[in-house]
Structure formats: C-alpha cells, structure tokens
Amino acid sequence: MSQQAKKPGGIGIPGILKGLATTARTMSKPAHTAEYPDAPPHLPPRSRGVIALLEENCTSCMLCARECPDWCIYIDSHKETIPATTPGGRERQRNVLDRFAIDFSLCMYCGICIEVCPFDALHWSPEFEYAELDIRDLLHEKDRLGQWMPTVPPPSALDEHSAEAAEIGATTRPGRLVRTTPARPPASRATPAGQQAESAPDTAPETPPETAPETGE
Ligand code: SF4
Ligand code: SF4
C-alpha cells in the first residue's frame, strides 16, 4: 500500500502532486541564480586570484623563491657594474632580473612569497581568469605577471584613529634642543678657606687587596 501525505482531517494528496505544483509555481518566476560566465562573480577586492609582479621593485634577492614551500618560483639574474658617478668614487654592482616565473599549477596560493618580499614587488590581484587547457601553460613569466599589476587594488586607507606613521612623525618632529649652558665643573674636595681647592683625582681610588677568607681555626 503506497504512502500518501494526508492532512489531518482532510483529503490525502500524493506527495508527487505537491512537488509538481511547487515546480509549476516556480517555473514562471525569474531565476535567482547568477551563473558564471554570464554573470561576473562579486569577489572581495582582496581575493587571492593571481600573483602580480612589479618588476622595477624586484632586486633578485631570491627570498621569495627560497621561502616558497612548493618551489614554484624561478628566478634568473646577473650582476651589472654601475660606474662611479663622481671622480674617484667607487663603482657599484646591482642585480639585473633576467627571468621571474611562477608555476601556478604548483602554487597553493599561501601568499608567503608576497609576505616575505622586502621590496613590495609581489602583490595579490583578484584576477582569476587565466585557466588553461594544458597544465604546462600555467607557468607564467615576468611579462605576464607584470600585466596583472594594474588589477591590483590600491591599499586601503588607514583607520582614522590609527597612530601616525613613524616616518611621518620623524620628519615633522622639531629637532633636539642643544644645551647652551656650560657643563658643571668637576666636584672638588672641601678645603679650608684661603687654600686652593684640590681637584678630584682623575683615577678611581685603589681597591683594597683581596684577603683570604677567615677559616675560624
Ligand atoms: S603563493 Fe605560496 S606556493 Fe604560491 S608562489 Fe607564493 S610562496 Fe609559492
Ligand atoms: S620578488 Fe621580492 S623577494 Fe622575490 S626576488 Fe624579487 S625582491 Fe626578492
């Protein structure tokens, strides 16, 4: 005997009919779901979509590559000699970035490379539309990483009640006051009236010689 949904004290309606009625009712209403790619998703501005590279800031220090847990950052560089700018000055050397690539098929988007970069050369971009049919095409070189820089959102404003940045405070603070009064003369021993005061000795008084501890015998 089939189970039927019965209202207490009323005529029983099969559950299938109730379901069909609900379907018919909602069919005529507009859909509430917005499906990608017809509708772009509303992502938070700080979403971890892809890592962008600001090449001018990169000094090829290799810190990000060393800290990356997946070893998916590849950096090549060479040294360049900069001639001295003044006569008799010393020439300097600097690193020139030849290659900077990230393999996004290995990257786990932990953000460690961005955190450790001391020169703000790496940034999160919310851009996520870089899927490829071939996994090998997810290895992106510095030119492609640089193209994502314009999609990096600007840093958020400081909280209005936050403390002033130390650098700003240091530049606006008045300089230290320079002591103009002469320093106090060195302390002199008390002398009888009419005699010349004897100045304190320059060296510390001799310490008494060490004596052997008493044994009590
Ligand atoms: S986000 Fe993490 S895994 Fe990806 S490149 Fe940076 S350090 Fe490596
Ligand atoms: S991105 Fe940053 S941490 Fe990585 S090599 Fe360049 S300067 Fe160093």
Side-chain angles (χ1 to χ4, degrees), residues 69-93:
D70 285 347
W71 290 77
C72 60
I73 301 178
Y74 310 102
I75 301 174
D76 286 332
S77 66
H78 68 273
K79 287 205 181 296
E80 188 181 75
T81 303
I82 304 172
T85 51
T86 54
R90 286 170 53 185
E91 57 187 25
R92 293 188 300 122
Q93 284 202 322

Side-chain angles (χ1 to χ4, degrees), residues 119-140:
F119 302 103
D120 284 343
L122 295 172
H123 302 267
W124 279 121
S125 157
E127 182 59 45
F128 64 93
E129 292 177 311
Y130 54 97
E132 300 287 349
L133 292 175
D134 190 338
I135 196 170
R136 289 168 293 186
D137 294 337
L138 284 171
L139 175 65
H140 291 303

Side-chain angles (χ1 to χ4, degrees), residues 52-55 57-67 73 75 97 100 112-122:
L53 171 72
L54 186 59
E55 193 179 336
N57 281 11
C58 181
T59 60
S60 320
C61 69
M62 304 290 291
L63 211 56
C64 54
R66 283 200 203 104
E67 296 295 326
I73 301 178
I75 301 174
L97 190 65
F100 192 107
I112 290 177
C113 54
I114 296 173
E115 295 293 325
V116 300
C117 177
F119 302 103
D120 284 343
L122 295 172

Side-chain angles (χ1 to χ4, degrees), residues 16-209:
I16 184 82
L17 292 181
K18 283 179 74 178
L20 286 173
T22 305
T23 305
R25 252 197 331 272
T26 52
M27 268 174 64
S28 56
K29 294 179 183 173
H32 292 290
T33 51
E35 291 186 0
Y36 177 82
D38 298 328
H42 298 292
L43 297 174
R46 296 277 160 198
S47 300
R48 296 186 174 193
V50 75
I51 298 168
L53 171 72
L54 186 59
E55 193 179 336
E56 306 89 274
N57 281 11
C58 181
T59 60
S60 320
C61 69
M62 304 290 291
L63 211 56
C64 54
R66 283 200 203 104
E67 296 295 326
C68 173
D70 285 347
W71 290 77
C72 60
I73 301 178
Y74 310 102
I75 301 174
D76 286 332
S77 66
H78 68 273
K79 287 205 181 296
E80 188 181 75
T81 303
I82 304 172
T85 51
T86 54
R90 286 170 53 185
E91 57 187 25
R92 293 188 300 122
Q93 284 202 322
R94 72 178 182 103
N95 292 331
V96 179
L97 190 65
D98 295 323
R99 185 190 184 208
F100 192 107
I102 298 179
D103 190 345
F104 287 101
S105 67
L106 296 174
C107 175
M108 59 180 185
Y109 299 85
C110 64
I112 290 177
C113 54
I114 296 173
E115 295 293 325
V116 300
C117 177
F119 302 103
D120 284 343
L122 295 172
H123 302 267
W124 279 121
S125 157
E127 182 59 45
F128 64 93
E129 292 177 311
Y130 54 97
E132 300 287 349
L133 292 175
D134 190 338
I135 196 170
R136 289 168 293 186
D137 294 337
L138 284 171
L139 175 65
H140 291 303
E141 300 289 335
K142 62 183 166 82
D143 292 339
R144 185 80 199 277
L145 298 177
Q147 286 170 5
W148 280 310
M149 268 313 292
T151 62
V152 174
S156 49
L158 291 176
D159 188 283
E160 59 176 322
H161 301 299
S162 63
E164 188 179 41
E167 296 87 344
I168 296 173
T171 53
T172 54
R173 200 180 304 136
R176 273 190 192 168
L177 287 175
V178 179
R179 182 193 284 267
T180 52
T181 52
R184 288 175 64 184
S188 58
R189 287 181 190 161
T191 52
Q195 287 187 16
Q196 194 178 358
E198 191 185 334
S199 61
D202 288 343
T203 55
E206 277 184 21
T207 52

